[in-house]
Amino acid sequence: MAAAVSSILVDAYGKPLPLSSGKREEKPAAVRARYDAAQNSNEFSNYWAASDSLDADSSNSKPVRKTLVARSRYEVGNNGFTDGIVQTFATDLIGKGPKLQLQTSDKDFNKQVEHEYTKWAKAVKFRRKLWTMAHAKVQDGEAFCVYRNNPRVKHPVKLDPVLFETEQCTTPTLAFAQKDYIDGISFDEFGNPLWYDILKQHPGGPWYSGTSMEFESIPAKFVCHWFLLRRPGQHRAVPEFRSTLNLGAAARRWRESTLEAAETAANFTVLLSTTLSPDEVDAVSPMSTLEIQKRMMTALPENYAANQMKAEHPNATHESFNSQILNEQARPKSMPANKAACDSSKYNFASGRLDHLTYHGSLDDVEREDCNDLVLDPTFELWWEEASIVFGWVNPDDPMENSCPDHCWDWPKHPTVDVASESQANDVKLKNGSLSLSSLYDAQGESFDDEVVKMASDYGVSVQEMKKILLFANLNAQNQQASVMQAQTGSAGGQLPNGTGPARQQLRPQQPQPQGAIN
């Protein structure tokens, strides 16, 4: 009997191949995820034609910045709403200007430094310059100043922040694709600015010569550069209203078109219409006129009718179009429409307050913190270096190194619409102990330590007595009673001023006792 022969499949090297089990292996289905905005359809191909993959500095290149800055300044100079938005933003952000508050352990030292810094800020008009920088930051995208020694400053500290515009920060001789160098700024290997190249003359000024291109390289320590960081790796900025620049032009075109339509309707007093064919109409000289007298009866030719042009502008969408344009223009800075238009006639009280929450949050939590980090802190550090030498100061918390003292900035509080409600809420918080007077005054841009001295002087008491008066005035009834009992037993320490503490109990009327009571 012949042996059964089995066929074995081998590969090119003679090794047997695994036999199939007879079942078809199922492969996992390919996941085909997609984004509509990532498709190259004909419908949106033109819309996305201008998109690119450039990095932050290449997107904000010198030619791009030059064009956008020029157009932004033109828009601010020719559009009342845009001009008002930028000014309102700078005013709301800066206000009366921030106050320095030192936080060392020596309160007398803190007051002395704060007093001298305030005098210096007045001498160099720092609040005015800070407002201008906030305006330039929005209009031009970035604000610059150079700290120089000005002997004409009327203060022992001669440090003076000198402002200049964004065009002056440029490197005319910069080579293409130079490493760690962009237009106007040089960096180290960690991305820290080393120096800024500043033109000695503004390129748009009468004294600037394009052939000389004189500039000075100033160490980054003495240059303040304030801009809104939007992308990683970004070192220069463009106007913050870049996304809405065309809206102002569209609004002006709509306004001029409406005005021209109204003027056209007013210029044509009477229009004559006829049913005759063009061949049957007598020839009329172009631009011919007919004088019309008052109360005159006029007979029209046969087959002619008189009509008046209807003035249909502004139409029903004119106001809503302008409101929508204005709302979008103010949106990049989170500014509510009623504040951008300086008109709250269509708002009720609640909605007028609600729309300001996002705006004030953007100002307090982002814009002012950026100003602290990029402008105020570097300014105070340079000021302290010179002032500590001029006045012989030594940081009481760091006498060996004499580093810049710990400090913070008290910004002015934004105006409150409902003063009564806020005052009532603060009163409740003070009485239940959830709010301190120091925090309350800090939120208003004031210092409690300074204000309590003024109050003590006004009421003719000492500072310690004034603090005890405020203690009993701000605590709730239960805490007041406990404090009075402590003062009576002497555990509170010291005598309370007249009219507080135990004296209050003496002013209370005696409760009548029932007949037969045992004394």
Side-chain angles (χ1 to χ4, degrees), residues 110 134 292 463:
N110 295 344
I292 299 178
V463 175

Side-chain angles (χ1 to χ4, degrees), residues 178-238:
Q178 186 170 346
K179 186 180 179 181
D180 297 330
Y181 215 133
I182 65 169
D183 182 45
I185 310 176
S186 174
F187 305 92
D188 60 13
E189 64 273 17
F190 302 103
N192 302 311
L194 292 176
W195 64 76
Y196 289 78
D197 296 332
I198 309 299
L199 293 178
K200 293 185 177 181
Q201 301 293 338
H202 194 287
W207 300 280
Y208 177 77
S209 174
T211 57
S212 60
M213 297 181 295
E214 297 184 27
F215 66 94
E216 53 181 336
S217 297
I218 302 176
K221 177 181 179 180
F222 301 102
V223 178
C224 174
H225 185 195
W226 185 14
F227 67 96
L228 184 62
L229 184 63
R230 296 285 298 270
R231 296 179 58 181
Q234 176 184 347
H235 300 101
R236 299 297 298 267
V238 292

Side-chain angles (χ1 to χ4, degrees), residues 168-367:
Q168 288 184 252
C169 182
T170 184
T171 309
T173 58
L174 180 62
F176 177 74
Q178 186 170 346
K179 186 180 179 181
D180 297 330
Y181 215 133
I182 65 169
D183 182 45
I185 310 176
S186 174
F187 305 92
D188 60 13
E189 64 273 17
F190 302 103
N192 302 311
L194 292 176
W195 64 76
Y196 289 78
D197 296 332
I198 309 299
L199 293 178
K200 293 185 177 181
Q201 301 293 338
H202 194 287
W207 300 280
Y208 177 77
S209 174
T211 57
S212 60
M213 297 181 295
E214 297 184 27
F215 66 94
E216 53 181 336
S217 297
I218 302 176
K221 177 181 179 180
F222 301 102
V223 178
C224 174
H225 185 195
W226 185 14
F227 67 96
L228 184 62
L229 184 63
R230 296 285 298 270
R231 296 179 58 181
Q234 176 184 347
H235 300 101
R236 299 297 298 267
V238 292
E240 296 184 3
F241 284 120
R242 58 192 175 277
S243 59
T244 60
L245 276 179
N246 291 337
L247 296 180
R252 289 197 300 274
R253 288 171 55 195
W254 179 268
R255 181 187 61 194
E256 297 300 328
S257 300
T258 301
L259 181 60
E260 290 176 1
E263 290 178 344
T264 301
N267 289 335
F268 287 90
T269 304
V270 175
L271 300 176
L272 294 179
S273 62
T274 178
T275 59
L276 300 176
S277 63
D279 297 336
E280 297 175 323
V281 178
D282 296 334
V284 180
S285 301
M287 306 303 294
S288 59
T289 60
L290 176 65
E291 184 178 355
I292 299 178
Q293 299 180 3
K294 294 182 180 181
R295 296 177 295 278
M296 180 179 67
M297 180 180 293
T298 304
L300 295 177
E302 185 179 2
N303 296 323
Y304 277 85
N307 301 303
Q308 188 172 10
M309 179 175 289
K310 297 181 180 180
E312 298 180 351
H313 289 270
N315 55 29
T317 62
H318 179 78
E319 184 177 359
S320 61
F321 176 81
N322 285 337
S323 299
Q324 184 64 29
I325 288 291
L326 179 60
N327 192 19
E328 188 174 352
Q329 281 184 290
R331 185 61 187 91
K333 302 310 298 178
S334 300
M335 184 179 293
N338 64 329
K339 197 173 190 68
C342 204
D343 180 15
S344 299
S345 58
K346 296 182 180 180
Y347 279 66
N348 57 37
F349 190 76
S351 62
R353 294 183 61 196
L354 184 63
D355 286 355
H356 284 70
L357 294 179
T358 304
Y359 176 57
H360 288 163
S362 174
L363 290 179
D364 296 337
D365 299 337
V366 178
E367 300 290 352

Side-chain angles (χ1 to χ4, degrees), residues 291-444:
E291 184 178 355
I292 299 178
Q293 299 180 3
K294 294 182 180 181
R295 296 177 295 278
M296 180 179 67
M297 180 180 293
T298 304
L300 295 177
E302 185 179 2
N303 296 323
Y304 277 85
N307 301 303
Q308 188 172 10
M309 179 175 289
K310 297 181 180 180
E312 298 180 351
H313 289 270
N315 55 29
T317 62
H318 179 78
E319 184 177 359
S320 61
F321 176 81
N322 285 337
S323 299
Q324 184 64 29
I325 288 291
L326 179 60
N327 192 19
E328 188 174 352
Q329 281 184 290
R331 185 61 187 91
K333 302 310 298 178
S334 300
M335 184 179 293
N338 64 329
K339 197 173 190 68
C342 204
D343 180 15
S344 299
S345 58
K346 296 182 180 180
Y347 279 66
N348 57 37
F349 190 76
S351 62
R353 294 183 61 196
L354 184 63
D355 286 355
H356 284 70
L357 294 179
T358 304
Y359 176 57
H360 288 163
S362 174
L363 290 179
D364 296 337
D365 299 337
V366 178
E367 300 290 352
R368 286 181 171 178
E369 288 300 321
D370 278 355
C371 185
N372 291 344
D373 297 338
L374 301 177
V375 183
L376 299 180
D377 288 344
T379 301
F380 179 68
E381 290 176 3
L382 290 175
W383 184 86
W384 169 258
E385 288 185 8
E386 184 172 347
S388 60
I389 298 175
V390 172
F391 297 102
W393 289 334
V394 176
N395 185 355
D397 294 338
D398 188 12
M400 300 301 296
E401 298 294 336
N402 198 24
S403 59
C404 184
D406 293 336
H407 61 279
C408 64
W409 302 97
D410 291 337
W411 286 89
K413 187 179 180 181
H414 301 298
T416 303
V417 180
D418 193 352
V419 180
S421 298
E422 186 183 31
S423 299
Q424 184 178 4
N426 289 335
D427 185 63
V428 172
K429 293 179 181 179
L430 287 172
K431 282 182 167 43
N432 62 29
S434 61
L435 179 66
S436 65
L437 285 172
S438 298
S439 300
L440 180 60
Y441 278 91
D442 290 345
Q444 297 176 350

Side-chain angles (χ1 to χ4, degrees), residues 20-27:
S20 176
S21 61
K23 296 182 179 181
R24 184 177 180 180
E25 296 182 0
E26 296 183 359
K27 296 181 179 180

